[in-house]
Amino acid sequence: QVQLVESGGGLAQAGGSLRLSCVASGRTFSTSAMGWFRQAPGKEREFVAAKSWDGGTTRYADSVKGRFTISRDNAKNTVYLQMNSLKSEDTAVYYCVAGGTTVTLTNRPTYWGQGTQVTVPT
């Protein structure tokens, strides 16, 4: 099993930046794809970004391409989401996710963190 704990959320103005972190524990972390989902108020959870365990494959939702960057440091059991040029529509609870490959992760992650709030005022 994998346990995921997010941090780094908060309030940012439009055009600003935040960096989310996710610390993972569990033996499967180093061989599992990792990524991020988000859920805005009244909306379903949606895929944001994913990266394979070796960093060789990266995928982003079209809405965040060019603005967000996912990275991971397996030695530190940590995954990051650098969020630049934030927009009000980025407001959501962001969840760290893990499990399988980048392809399967975009559809149905196996493990979920507790979530961290990101708010960008309109």
Side-chain angles (χ1 to χ4, degrees), residues 26-37:
R27 295 180 181 180
T28 61
F29 171 76
S30 63
T31 58
S32 174
M34 304 290 297
W36 297 87
F37 273 62

Side-chain angles (χ1 to χ4, degrees), residues 83-102:
M83 308 163 62
N84 298 327
S85 301
L86 284 164
K87 306 174 181 179
S88 60
E89 52 262 44
D90 295 318
T91 295
V93 176
Y94 283 72
Y95 297 90
C96 181
V97 295
T101 68
T102 53

Side-chain angles (χ1 to χ4, degrees), residues 38 46-48 60-68 84-85 87 89-90 94:
R38 67 186 182 186
E46 64 175 350
F47 166 75
V48 176
Y60 296 99
D62 288 341
S63 59
V64 306
K65 285 182 179 178
R67 300 189 299 120
F68 292 8
N84 298 327
S85 301
K87 306 174 181 179
E89 52 262 44
D90 295 318
Y94 283 72

Side-chain angles (χ1 to χ4, degrees), residues 51-67:
K51 184 175 286 291
S52 62
W53 72 271
D54 63 356
T57 303
T58 306
R59 300 182 66 183
Y60 296 99
D62 288 341
S63 59
V64 306
K65 285 182 179 178
R67 300 189 299 120

Side-chain angles (χ1 to χ4, degrees), residues 6 14 41 45 49 59 120:
E6 305 97 330
R45 291 180 180 178
R59 300 182 66 183
V120 184

